[in-house]
Amino acid sequence: MRDAGGVARGVPGTAADEPRPEGRSARGWAAVALGLAVVGLVATVWRPVAPALPPGIPEQAWFDPGLLATLDRYRSPRLWLAPVVTSLSVLVPVLVALWPRTARFTAVITRDRLRAPWRGGVVAAAIGFLTWLVTLPLVAWVGLVHEGRWGFRTSSGAGWLRDQLVVAGGRWLALGLGVAALLAARDRWPVSWPYRLTVAATGAAVVLVVVHPVLIQPLLLRTEPLPPGPTREVVADVLTAAGHEGAPVLVADASRRTTRVNALITGLGPTERVILYDTLLELPDAQIAAVVAHELAHREHADVLRGTALTAVAALAAALVVRRVLDGRAGRRTGARTPGDPRLVPLLVAVAAVLELLGTPVGGAVSRRVEAAADHRALELGADPGELVRTVRTFVVRDLADPTPATPFVVLYGTHPSPEQRLRAAAAAADVRGSTLPTLEELQRDERAIRHPRAPRPGQGGGP
């Protein structure tokens, strides 16, 4: 392309846009990026795993038809809304990229106000905001109306929206910075930018995981040490038995937002800690001990570090796909004049949305494998199979968790083994140990006090 004076303007593929020589550095960066990806892949594949589940369904995995009917009523709206939100999250960026006026609009709103990479980052964040705005009514209905109607939400509407903005704002910031870095790197290092960005993304992931518990998580959950009392003594016994004396165990004020129970391990190195929702402390101490043993298994398996290392695999694969798209026909159709032209951004965001959708089943499969291994190791660390059965069933009857979710939803949204699978694993461990599990009648008797308010008592039919 030439301007009014007939001077070449740097169209990709022309002499004015020939890549600057990068010498041996490109090969060096490629070797480092590939090495990080191999480490991440090996750490994910070569790791402790749970044994295969035995055939047959133990009686402890059976739930009363009335409870299942209540669960269906609660989950049915979520089951059709979740795919709609997922589809819109991909469709909006794709439609923006395909809109004929997008390139012109992008060029106008970014005209010489910032350096090109930062202009691109602003456009990317704006597309992220637009996507969030389109899906917000559906997400709000689920999070505000539906969860409130069923008694799971305890925060106000304003508090809920604030939390959504904190989480979404982090995504917009990450998207904007990522796109700005990509445009700058592509302009500066036309050959080696995918490898440089892979190394940078892996390093950024490490830093983010380290600072997350002290800088980011407090924006949503305030934590404090587990207070003295019987629960603390039980947790201390679990730590000692597992060989993790001194591991920090904190309590988060989750009850300000939800009645659900949960626990997690977060941080890396000096910031690593186990966090228990304060709602979890409402459960019997033996069940809390089973949950803590599970989290300590994650710590023993270095699952946070392994997950961070997997960033290199995802970053390298995504960067190579993006390079192929931007260097191909789709990239030329954007009208971009330079490798860092902001008019590439809508295409970049659309590709990122599609890659995230395609990568979700892979990430979910890895997560389910990790969680199953943590369950198995928790049993080896001394968790009682009977208490694990009680704990899993508590999650079902108290939080209305689906014991046997449909396969498509497992593939797209499942991060843990299903409750039925976890109960089968506990039953298998009890069989190996020769221990006795509580009977179904005993379990149902104990669960009457913790069942969801809308669930009927066993034998009372489908509930209100």
Side-chain angles (χ1 to χ4, degrees), residues 1 8-18:
M1 183 179 296
R9 293 291 301 276
V11 178
T14 65
D17 193 51
E18 287 297 324

Side-chain angles (χ1 to χ4, degrees), residues 140-159:
W141 186 88
V142 172
L144 282 175
V145 179
H146 191 62
E147 292 293 285
R149 182 181 298 162
W150 283 84
F152 291 122
R153 178 177 59 82
T154 58
S155 63
S156 64

Side-chain angles (χ1 to χ4, degrees), residues 81-372:
L81 278 176
V84 173
V85 172
T86 300
S87 299
L88 287 174
S89 298
V90 177
L91 190 60
V92 171
V94 170
L95 290 178
V96 169
L98 294 177
W99 187 38
R101 296 187 180 182
T102 293
R104 185 184 306 173
F105 180 72
T106 303
V108 169
I109 66 174
T110 62
R111 185 189 308 153
D112 299 331
R113 294 180 183 175
L114 295 168
R115 291 188 61 219
W118 295 114
R119 285 182 259 160
V122 170
V123 173
I127 297 174
F129 172 75
L130 175 63
T131 304
W132 177 79
L133 205 60
V134 170
T135 60
L136 181 60
L138 297 177
V139 174
W141 186 88
V142 172
L144 282 175
V145 179
H146 191 62
E147 292 293 285
R149 182 181 298 162
W150 283 84
F152 291 122
R153 178 177 59 82
T154 58
S155 63
S156 64
W160 179 88
L161 183 59
R162 172 195 170 274
D163 290 345
Q164 294 295 310
L165 285 171
V166 169
V167 174
R171 287 180 59 90
W172 304 334
L173 179 63
L175 181 62
L177 291 177
V179 166
L182 190 151
L183 293 178
R186 189 168 182 258
D187 187 54
R188 178 66 180 84
W189 301 291
V191 176
S192 63
W193 70 263
Y195 315 116
R196 293 174 184 266
L197 286 187
T198 297
V199 176
T202 305
V206 172
V207 172
L208 185 63
V209 172
V210 170
V211 305
H212 181 270
V214 294
L215 295 181
I216 300 174
Q217 187 167 288
L219 296 175
L220 296 173
L221 292 173
R222 296 194 297 263
T223 59
E224 60 182 19
L226 186 63
T231 300
R232 182 170 175 175
E233 294 174 4
V234 168
V235 170
D237 290 341
V238 175
L239 295 176
T240 300
H244 293 269
E245 298 93 341
V249 179
L250 306 179
V251 179
D253 60 346
S255 59
R256 295 189 301 116
R257 292 173 171 81
T258 182
T259 62
R260 298 183 186 278
V261 296
N262 197 10
L264 63 146
I265 186 166
T266 183
L268 198 60
T271 65
E272 187 178 48
R273 71 272 319 262
V274 174
I275 295 180
L276 310 178
Y277 278 21
D278 55 358
T279 51
L280 185 72
L281 303 186
E282 301 169 7
L283 304 187
D285 287 340
Q287 294 186 28
I288 296 173
V291 172
V292 172
H294 173 92
E295 300 305 328
L296 293 178
H298 282 306
R299 189 173 193 252
E300 185 174 296
H301 291 168
D303 286 333
V304 174
L305 180 60
R306 291 174 187 272
T308 306
L310 192 58
T311 301
V313 181
L316 181 59
L320 293 177
V321 171
V322 167
R323 180 172 68 176
R324 186 169 185 86
V325 172
L326 295 186
D327 290 347
R329 183 181 303 175
R332 291 191 292 271
R333 286 182 175 176
T334 63
R337 298 179 177 181
T338 65
D341 195 317
R343 279 173 284 196
L344 291 167
V345 171
L347 177 61
L348 272 174
V349 177
V351 172
V354 173
L355 288 177
E356 182 178 10
L357 177 63
L358 296 177
T360 296
V362 178
V366 171
S367 179
R368 292 191 297 274
R369 187 168 180 257
V370 168
E371 297 295 339

